Amino acid sequence: MLNWTVRDLAEKSGVHRNTVTRIETEATAPGHSMAAVQAALTRPASSSLRRMAAAQA
């Protein structure tokens, strides 16, 4: 479990948090934004952890 907030997922995906909410509620059609969210969720944990550590530094 990643334990990410909508804001976390939006930042890691490079999309606005409202876009993540629309995807969650199926209020948006598949496209670039959904692909970006999917990519963020399927990245190896080590790369996500490195990005989080860099953002906090």
Side-chain angles (χ1 to χ4, degrees):
M1 188 82 168
L2 297 174
N3 200 31
W4 289 352
T5 64
V6 168
R7 180 173 285 174
D8 294 334
L9 181 54
E11 288 174 3
K12 289 165 183 42
S13 304
V15 299
H16 194 276
R17 63 185 178 273
N18 292 346
T19 301
V20 173
T21 301
R22 283 195 306 272
I23 290 170
E24 287 181 328
T25 61
E26 299 179 4
T28 189
H32 174 74
S33 296
M34 191 173 291
V37 170
Q38 183 178 11
L41 290 170
T42 58
R43 284 187 192 115
S46 60
S47 64
S48 294
L49 292 174
R50 279 194 297 270
R51 269 192 299 287
M52 287 173 55
Q56 292 176 352

